[in-house]
Amino acid sequence: IKPCNLTGWWKNDLGSKMHVFNVDNNGTFSGEYHTAVSSAKSPIQPSPLVGSQHLDKDEQDTFGFTVNWKKFSDSTAVFVGQCFNGADGKEVLHTSWLLREKVDSETDDWKATRIGRNTFTRMS
Ligand SMILES: O=C(CCCC[C@@H]1SC[C@@H]2NC(=O)N[C@@H]21)Nc1ccc([N+](=O)[O-])cc1
């Protein structure tokens, strides 16, 4: 199966863009996340991401990464997913995410985590 390397630029169904810098030989990577959407008041600056992907036998690997949102929006998102070689030969990342926003009191903890899914394709 064609290996599926995460390095490069990706765009998801929300229009957010992700730039993955090089993946080292432990599968560790870092990068930057440019979200197209936010429920924070002001637009969010590109924020750092760190993650790791499996490198077994150069297969369609699973991965995970964490985004720490900078400025104004004290929150953290974690993504988990898998890279597939789509039928059209293009790579696609199917992910699920949890977004944890900071809440001011413990009594609000119940409403602090959102869940969702995103699909990413490589930006040509
Ligand atoms: O909005 C944010 C941070 C940006 C989250 C973007 C999410 S991550 C999962 C999904 N996939 C994407 O590509 N983009 C979305 N933080 C935030 C928002 C509101 C408040 N608030 O207090 O209202 C606090 C933090």
Side-chain angles (χ1 to χ4, degrees):
I1 293 205
K2 196 162 75 70
C4 194
N5 189 309
L6 292 178
T7 301
W9 280 93
W10 299 86
K11 188 174 183 178
N12 74 16
D13 46 293
L14 293 170
S16 301
K17 294 174 180 165
M18 168 168 76
H19 183 197
V20 176
F21 308 145
N22 66 310
V23 179
D24 74 18
N25 49 22
N26 296 321
T28 309
F29 58 88
S30 59
E32 241 177 30
Y33 201 96
H34 304 238
T35 184
V37 294
S38 161
S39 40
K41 289 150 222 38
S42 57
I44 295 205
Q45 298 170 6
S47 296
L49 68 90
V50 290
S52 77
Q53 72 165 100
H54 283 269
L55 296 176
D56 341 323
K57 314 183 298 301
D58 270 346
E59 293 272 318
Q60 302 179 106
D61 298 311
T62 59
F63 58 86
F65 61 90
T66 302
V67 189
N68 280 308
W69 305 101
K70 291 274 176 231
K71 291 252 181 308
F72 316 113
S73 59
D74 184 346
S75 52
T76 302
V78 291
F79 288 75
V80 287
Q82 185 170 349
C83 183
F84 293 97
N85 291 302
D88 55 0
K90 293 195 173 64
E91 291 162 307
V92 58
L93 311 180
H94 288 293
T95 72
S96 299
W97 51 261
L98 295 172
L99 171 63
R100 171 69 199 212
E101 294 176 12
K102 180 179 176 188
V103 290
D104 295 334
S105 78
E106 197 176 354
T107 49
D108 292 337
D109 180 65
W110 65 274
K111 64 179 179 180
T113 304
R114 294 184 172 100
I115 186 169
R117 303 213 67 203
N118 281 138
T119 298
F120 294 80
T121 50
R122 246 191 224 287
M123 289 170 65
S124 41

